[in-house]
Amino acid sequence: MSGCLFIGLFGHGVWIFKIEFGNWALDFVGLLLSLPYIKVIKLLKYFKMFSSQLVQTDYQMLTLLKRCKTLRTLTQLHTQLIKTGLENDPFLTGNLILHCAINITNAVPYAHSILHYFPNPTAFMYNTLIRGYVESDHPCNALITFNEMRRNRMSHIVCLDSFTFAFVLKAVANMRSWDSGVQVHCLGIVYGLDMHIYVGTTLISMYAECGWIKEARKVFDEMLAPNVVAWNAMITGCIRCCDVEGAEMLYRRMDVKDLVSSNVMLDGFMKSGEVEVAKRMFFEEMDVKDDVSWSTMIVGFSHNGCFGEALDLFVELHRVGLRPNEVSLTGVLSVCAQSGAFEFGKIVHCYIEKCGFVWIRSVNNALLDTYSKCGNIDMARLVFERMPGFKSIVSWTTMVAGLAMQGYGDEALKLFHQMEDSGIKPDGITFISILYACSHAGLIEDGCRYFSMMKNDYGIEPTYEHYGCMVDLYGRAGDLQKAYKFITQMPIKPNAVIWRTLLGACSIHGNVELAEEVQLRLSELDPSDSGDHVLLSNIYAVAGKWKDVATVRKSMTSQGLTKTPGWSMIEVDKIMYSFVAGEKDNEVTKEAYTKLKEIMSRLRVEAGYASEVIGSVLHDIEDEEKEDSLVTHSEKLALAFGMSRLCDGSVIRIVKNLRVCKDCHTVMKLVSNVFGIEIVLRDRSRFHSFRNGSCSCKDYW
DNA sequence: CTAGGGTTAG
């Protein structure tokens, strides 16, 4: 109260005074108020001279404080404060809490203890502490602190302000707990702070984050004078709730647009899959672009599977003289991971080491994922072990998933226990990796145990993906009846993906009868998925039921469904080459075919290979079908091309978008033996490492 | 000495 009056009376000069001495100076205000204006100014001058020593100590302390990088050095400084009797200085203690809660990792509880022992904590201290909890692992502590603050307010110690509400609302948004959000909103109204522009903007973000777009819109519409930031928050909210059209309408209505608005729209178009709109109408038209615009585009391309465009833009970014930031780096690494661009990934890794990005966790996690998805588990392990600072849940889960994909089921489970020991709590995605590890390594009992552990010990509600893993676990192992029973007993209605998983298992184990029943369910849920029809027709083909094959294919044609074209990619000299089955009219493919011919004849002579497709079984299929079955799969072409181009001793790494077929799998095994080379093939479901005539999947995939 | 809107890995 006195502070407000003081500022009101003397304006600017006093404001400087306040900055220099902090809240601590307010104690003097009450004394000064009773004196005439001129005398106050004089007094102030004397006071400044007199207290310059003190100010000196304050600044020294502040400088020291900023140098503290760890909790250890900070506690030393705290001790120093206590020894010199400065511990009751609200300005210094406030800064101590700020530094502790914001700049030092995992030190928020310590900050809280400082506040706890401070006789009359200021609003600044509370606000800072709440702010610290927002980004912590437990944002709910922000709410607890908020309530503590309110209790103290009852005894007239602190006053809630707009900062308080802004931070608390952010915590609520991070927790996605809309009921607390509504409560805090109500309190904001009680305190008359809901119309504050900062609080209002945070309210919009909070509601949108929790999926309450209507409420967000209401706050926005009721704002007296929404500024650009508020508009941007509203547009972002629409995009979060998948309403790109609404976002675009708002964007067009804006009087003042800044760069952020355009970046939000870029992201919106990318998220809704409108890559061309983002590129042509926005990115290329923008007068001013910053690093966020570039990273948004690279990440957007990556999410939409436009790998070539993402890499081009990354190179372009260099060409125009800009430097990639951590976000564009994670984006480009994600492209390498998805496409298996191992060599390109290694170059990005060098850059990361050289430019000091190794300290950023998100970059490290992306790097880990890249090596793991490029089939180089040793490099992935290295990145994981050398990761600076603590390993986040993403780091652990990525490593577990990587091991699982390569078939190291036991090691994946061991790592999971290490993660628990290190105090990191697994979440739903961690369990997907664990269940995946179990199903791909044939660890059925373990899988069941982890599934119940997830529900009972961790209270994680299984999603479709978890159920899918379980169906896969039973199905892959050949217990189709158990898999079927599991589906019928699921507490949620099984979706197409679940049934599709069972269909896949039917295909592995050649169960025509169950496959037909599953197909019936699928035709109700998702009749237009060409993959299902292809799978069913393959099951018929293996069983020799050629008439049924023809029926399925005919019904596909009449529905206008076409088979998803299979592609395979291989990297040679940092260039990605992609092969599509049946394509013949370019030099690269011709080269691949020539080499393949040579390879296959050597396999026939030296390993007695005979194609599983060519033979008597084919005479029942129509001509078109025959041709389709005889078309060389893309992975064989990629293999041949790699063998023709890559030097001896290098590993052949191929990425395929669909699952590898049995014939290609056999060919790869034989090639690894006859030619003495190593092949790493990543298909849609897992990794296959071929060496000395056998595969790491032990023919279990 | 604090604040609201944009891109980040599993």
Side-chain angles (χ1 to χ4, degrees):
Chain A
M1 190 60 192
S2 51
C4 300
L5 264 177
F6 199 58
I7 293 160
L9 278 171
F10 303 114
H12 198 63
V14 183
W15 187 236
I16 295 169
F17 177 80
K18 189 178 175 249
I19 289 171
E20 282 178 358
F21 299 101
N23 295 332
W24 176 69
L26 295 182
D27 293 348
F28 294 88
V29 172
L31 289 171
L32 297 172
L33 274 175
S34 53
L35 298 171
Y37 179 76
I38 300 295
K39 278 191 181 172
V40 171
I41 296 296
K42 271 190 181 167
L43 246 171
L44 278 177
K45 274 185 185 165
Y46 284 126
F47 182 73
K48 271 188 184 171
M49 280 163 65
F50 165 75
S51 58
S52 60
Q53 280 304 109
L54 260 180
V55 174
Q56 205 64 39
T57 354
D58 269 22
Y59 279 129
Q60 275 173 5
M61 279 297 178
L62 263 187
T63 318
L64 282 175
L65 191 61
K66 276 176 192 148
R67 278 197 211 139
C68 293
K69 297 274 183 251
T70 59
L71 188 56
R72 217 181 104 83
T73 48
L74 196 108
T75 40
Q76 285 171 354
L77 192 87
H78 189 198
T79 318
Q80 201 65 34
L81 277 182
I82 296 169
K83 271 168 79 179
T84 49
L86 288 164
E87 56 171 323
N88 289 336
D89 179 344
F91 173 72
L92 281 180
T93 307
N95 270 293
L96 192 69
I97 292 174
L98 172 74
H99 200 62
C100 220
I102 309 296
N103 299 330
I104 295 177
T105 41
N106 297 331
V108 198
Y110 189 77
H112 205 150
S113 76
I114 300 174
L115 180 133
H116 206 86
Y117 287 110
F118 198 82
N120 295 313
T122 60
F124 175 76
M125 291 176 190
Y126 272 112
N127 291 344
T128 312
L129 193 62
I130 292 171
R131 185 179 158 211
Y133 276 127
V134 171
E135 299 295 329
S136 76
D137 296 333
H138 306 286
C140 57
N141 281 336
L143 276 181
I144 294 171
T145 313
F146 175 63
N147 285 333
E148 205 177 294
M149 189 178 179
R150 283 171 58 219
R151 271 199 300 280
N152 273 345
R153 187 206 61 88
M154 297 299 179
S155 47
H156 303 284
I157 295 174
V158 281
C159 198
L160 307 189
D161 56 19
S162 59
F163 289 91
T164 320
F165 279 96
F167 294 141
V168 171
L169 286 168
K170 190 144 197 200
V172 170
N174 281 359
M175 291 157 63
R176 282 160 205 276
S177 138
W178 64 267
D179 46 348
S180 327
V182 173
Q183 289 177 21
V184 177
H185 187 177
C186 292
L187 277 169
I189 295 169
V190 172
Y191 283 87
L193 286 165
D194 62 313
M195 292 308 243
H196 188 283
I197 184 88
Y198 281 49
V199 178
T201 310
T202 328
L203 275 171
I204 295 173
S205 304
M206 186 271 294
Y207 279 124
E209 198 77 40
C210 303
W212 281 48
I213 191 67
K214 274 187 187 161
E215 274 60 30
R217 189 58 197 251
K218 195 157 179 273
V219 174
F220 178 72
D221 287 340
E222 285 173 7
M223 272 184 148
L224 296 174
N227 58 11
V228 203
V229 183
W231 277 84
N232 288 342
M234 195 58 235
I235 295 177
T236 310
C238 291
I239 286 166
R240 289 267 151 78
C241 299
C242 300
D243 180 16
V244 185
E245 270 178 45
E248 207 181 341
M249 257 157 64
L250 280 169
Y251 180 81
R252 299 210 182 288
R253 272 177 47 201
M254 277 177 92
D255 296 328
V256 191
K257 303 178 173 74
D258 66 1
L259 188 56
V260 175
S261 322
S262 304
N263 285 344
V264 172
M265 288 312 295
L266 274 187
D267 183 47
F269 287 127
M270 279 301 193
K271 287 224 168 88
S272 62
E274 297 193 50
V275 180
E276 281 303 304
V277 181
K279 193 178 152 195
R280 303 236 178 278
M281 286 178 64
F282 262 84
F283 190 68
E284 286 173 5
E285 297 294 318
M286 277 162 75
D287 303 326
V288 195
K289 301 181 189 105
D290 66 355
D291 58 336
V292 177
S293 329
W294 287 83
S295 350
T296 307
M297 287 303 285
I298 293 173
V299 170
F301 279 138
S302 153
H303 285 327
N304 284 293
C306 312
F307 305 146
E309 289 188 287
L311 294 183
D312 286 350
L313 204 66
F314 186 72
V315 174
E316 173 78 6
L317 185 137
H318 269 278
R319 209 185 53 77
V320 297
L322 292 168
R323 291 275 157 264
N325 63 5
E326 81 249 36
V327 182
S328 47
L329 283 170
T330 49
V332 84
L333 280 173
S334 159
V335 168
C336 295
Q338 290 177 74
S339 62
F342 180 57
E343 298 296 327
F344 201 98
K346 275 201 289 193
I347 295 175
V348 178
H349 187 181
C350 290
Y351 181 84
I352 287 165
E353 295 274 351
K354 213 177 86 187
C355 299
F357 286 100
V358 268
W359 296 101
I360 297 170
R361 193 156 28 246
S362 60
V363 173
N364 264 303
N365 290 339
L367 197 57
L368 170 61
D369 192 41
T370 305
Y371 280 126
S372 144
K373 291 221 171 92
C374 287
N376 195 322
I377 200 75
D378 292 330
M379 278 305 285
R381 279 201 194 95
L382 203 71
V383 172
F384 181 73
E385 278 154 21
R386 290 201 182 160
M387 204 173 270
F390 84 104
K391 297 172 178 69
S392 73
I393 185 156
V394 179
S395 331
W396 288 95
T397 308
T398 310
M399 195 65 229
V400 169
L403 291 167
M405 269 190 287
Q406 309 265 346
Y408 299 101
D410 292 325
E411 205 183 326
L413 298 186
K414 225 162 97 186
L415 201 74
F416 172 73
H417 292 295
Q418 271 180 42
M419 167 183 156
E420 281 190 305
D421 291 343
S422 78
I424 302 252
K425 256 188 154 181
D427 63 8
I429 306 174
T430 315
F431 275 103
I432 291 174
S433 304
I434 285 293
L435 295 176
Y436 178 95
C438 293
S439 81
H440 284 254
L443 306 166
I444 296 143
E445 281 170 26
D446 287 294
C448 297
R449 211 181 56 243
Y450 285 111
F451 186 66
S452 63
M453 183 207 256
M454 171 179 94
K455 289 189 293 184
N456 304 332
D457 300 352
Y458 287 98
I460 297 168
E461 209 41 56
T463 63
Y464 278 116
E465 280 180 276
H466 298 102
Y467 289 116
C469 283
M470 291 307 285
V471 172
D472 193 51
L473 181 81
Y474 294 125
R476 208 176 273 272
D479 201 340
L480 295 175
Q481 287 314 315
K482 213 164 187 173
Y484 182 76
K485 206 173 152 200
F486 184 86
I487 296 180
T488 54
Q489 290 173 351
M490 272 170 57
I492 46 176
K493 192 176 178 286
N495 63 7
V497 181
I498 300 282
W499 288 113
R500 197 164 291 143
T501 308
L502 186 57
L503 190 65
C506 292
S507 154
I508 298 172
H509 298 286
N511 189 328
V512 180
E513 218 173 290
L514 189 58
E516 282 173 339
E517 191 188 330
V518 173
Q519 179 59 31
L520 269 177
R521 312 285 183 128
L522 277 167
S523 61
E524 286 166 19
L525 290 165
D526 188 6
S528 60
D529 189 286
S530 61
D532 297 341
H533 295 87
V534 173
L535 205 53
L536 186 66
S537 102
N538 286 350
I539 295 171
Y540 283 136
V542 171
K545 298 191 162 193
W546 301 107
K547 273 187 185 155
D548 293 315
V549 172
T551 317
V552 174
R553 292 294 166 112
K554 258 183 204 153
S555 93
M556 277 180 76
T557 324
S558 67
Q559 287 177 69
L561 299 177
T562 47
K563 203 173 161 179
T564 311
W567 52 253
S568 295
M569 292 217 248
I570 185 165
E571 184 185 42
V572 174
D573 282 336
K574 291 153 209 97
I575 294 170
M576 299 300 297
Y577 292 88
S578 86
F579 293 88
V580 179
E583 209 176 63
K584 257 185 197 175
D585 46 359
N586 63 62
E587 290 304 313
V588 170
T589 321
K590 276 180 196 152
E591 185 182 337
Y593 270 106
T594 315
K595 183 74 184 177
L596 186 63
K597 222 172 168 182
E598 182 195 322
I599 296 168
M600 297 311 271
S601 67
R602 247 186 95 176
L603 287 192
R604 277 186 207 102
V605 176
E606 291 179 39
Y609 166 79
S611 168
E612 294 185 23
V613 191
I614 305 167
S616 58
V617 288
L618 267 184
H619 68 267
D620 282 339
I621 330 180
E622 293 166 17
D623 283 350
E624 193 192 330
E625 289 303 313
K626 258 184 210 169
E627 202 178 303
D628 188 48
S629 309
L630 289 171
V631 157
T632 310
H633 283 160
S634 58
E635 55 267 48
K636 283 204 193 94
L637 292 175
L639 170 73
F641 184 69
M643 286 171 74
S644 141
R645 288 285 183 95
L646 291 171
C647 55
D648 291 340
S650 53
V651 180
I652 295 196
R653 296 170 197 279
I654 301 166
V655 172
K656 174 161 190 181
N657 67 333
L658 305 173
R659 278 203 191 178
V660 59
C661 85
K662 207 168 177 183
D663 182 54
C664 290
H665 196 263
T666 310
V667 167
M668 302 253 172
K669 283 201 286 189
L670 295 176
V671 165
S672 76
N673 199 24
V674 172
F675 292 83
I677 58 168
E678 193 184 336
I679 307 160
V680 177
L681 170 74
R682 186 182 102 197
D683 74 2
R684 199 182 161 148
S685 146
R686 62 168 298 149
F687 270 99
H688 303 265
S689 293
F690 302 93
R691 220 180 289 174
N692 305 324
S694 59
C695 177
S696 63
C697 76
K698 302 184 187 78
D699 299 339
Y700 190 79
W701 81 92

